[in-house]
Amino acid sequence: MTDIVSSQTDMKFSGFSCTSKGRALETAEYDPKTLKDLDVEIAISHCGICHSDIHLIDNDWGNSVYPFIPGHEIIGQVRALGRSVKHLNIGDRVGVGWQCGVCFICDLCTSGYENLCPDSQPTCVGRNGGYANGIRVDSRFAFPIPSALSSENAAPLLCGGITVYSPFREYDIKPKDKVAIVGVGGLGHLAVQFANAMGCEVTAISHSADKEDEAKSLGAHRFINSSNAFLMSQANDSFDFVLSTVSVDVDWQKCLDLLSPNGTLCFVGASPTQISVRLMDVIMGQKRVAGSGIGSPHRIKEMFSFAARHDIQSMTELYPIGQVNEALDRIREGKVRYRAVLEMR
Ligand code: NAP
Ligand code: ZN
């Protein structure tokens, strides 16, 4: 084991780097971080492109650290092991999502909420992520991928999938619940599938009328075109849970209006602005405005086993890594159906 580790230490990694706000990515070579005792080195085969990568490339959130290699929906094979890694083997197929480290000792970490740890380490903020041929990460954030899932289809589950699965569990959504998924993109098309598999009555709400048939084939029982004010107002007061996955600022009051009393409007889509809703509606309807970020390691494992059992599949467009900039532009233009995935070939 030690020999395998040392044979990798001199190897440079290569990937596609973002050097400043909004710029096209460029090829780059770099030294990987030191392989620590609990780390694994992964030979990356696939990486999904989450819209959060675009927010980072464009510095929408104001926290981007350039240069960096984006990518946090990573799948590949374990190529080297730190000397204390016991639960993974060379050759295992594993995945890494948004989070690659936590403190492991705070109250949140020790109660199963590692995703909320104040010392959370994002995979591609201040470090290099997955648009590359390799990565070294803490093995506790490298998750085995069920054999039922192909790498291309599983990669988007590592961020998009867990981000929409976790709020259903945290907010205790029940099969009887009426659920609306706002935005049928990378996250939204997975949310429709998870909600359907959980037995909910599912409505997809989209500003793209041409997504209706696919949204229904993914498991939506109903489809509402959000550009149609009449159809939207007809749906007011009718949902127990509204999950917003949109990447831009829209009229959030219209989303709140969709809730029946006691309902929850949950944000996972992370537009960089503030939300504004009528407080009296929240109070008098006893409504909740809530949020959810990724999911903890135990939830990721649970999500993978649920996805494998219920045949949750990302619909993907596959791009060789050399076409990363074309793929990013197609996402910016809203053309991808529904997740672009890079293949390292
Ligand atoms: P995506 O694939 O680009 O999908 C975003 C969707 O937003 C689009 O498909 C579109 O849906 C909707 N949208 C875009 N422009 C719109 C407009 N002008 N008006 C109305 N709707 C519009 O992005 P994604 O990868 O799913 O990510 C979605 C958001 O989730 C991003 O902000 C991302 O950063 C965030 N995110 C959050 C977490 C977390 O932990 N909370 C994790 C991952 C991602 P329709 O065409 O159907 O309307
Ligand atoms: Zn993401």
Side-chain angles (χ1 to χ4, degrees), residues 215-256:
K216 286 183 173 165
S217 75
L218 290 165
H221 302 103
R222 277 202 310 149
F223 180 92
I224 300 174
N225 179 347
S226 54
S227 312
N228 185 322
F230 174 71
L231 292 178
M232 283 293 280
S233 65
Q234 271 196 325
N236 283 350
D237 305 315
S238 58
F239 295 102
D240 302 295
F241 192 65
V242 174
L243 186 69
S244 167
T245 73
V246 302
S247 54
V248 296
D249 208 18
V250 297
D251 185 344
W252 301 120
Q253 182 63 41
K254 288 195 177 129
C255 292
L256 189 81

Side-chain angles (χ1 to χ4, degrees), residues 51-52 55 184 186-187 206-208 211 245 268 270 292 294 339:
H51 207 112
S52 298
H55 288 313
V184 184
L187 268 59
S206 168
H207 85 308
S208 309
K211 292 182 179 173
T245 73
V268 290
S292 190
I294 52 166
R339 186 56 120 203

Side-chain angles (χ1 to χ4, degrees), residues 323-341:
Q323 288 177 16
V324 60
N325 289 308
E326 287 87 331
L328 291 169
D329 284 343
R330 268 180 67 80
I331 299 169
R332 287 188 179 99
E333 291 160 11
K335 291 183 177 160
V336 169
R337 300 290 185 272
Y338 285 87
R339 186 56 120 203
V341 174

Side-chain angles (χ1 to χ4, degrees), residues 138-172:
D138 187 318
S139 59
R140 291 166 288 186
F141 288 90
F143 304 99
I145 306 299
S147 57
L149 300 171
S150 75
S151 297
E152 178 183 338
N153 295 123
L157 297 175
L158 283 149
C159 179
I162 184 58
T163 297
V164 297
Y165 176 82
S166 188
F168 286 106
R169 300 282 283 111
E170 288 304 321
Y171 293 106
D172 199 21

Side-chain angles (χ1 to χ4, degrees), residues 103-114 116-118:
C103 77
F104 290 109
I105 53 169
C106 71
D107 287 349
L108 291 160
C109 282
T110 52
S111 58
Y113 285 101
E114 292 92 332
L116 305 181
C117 174

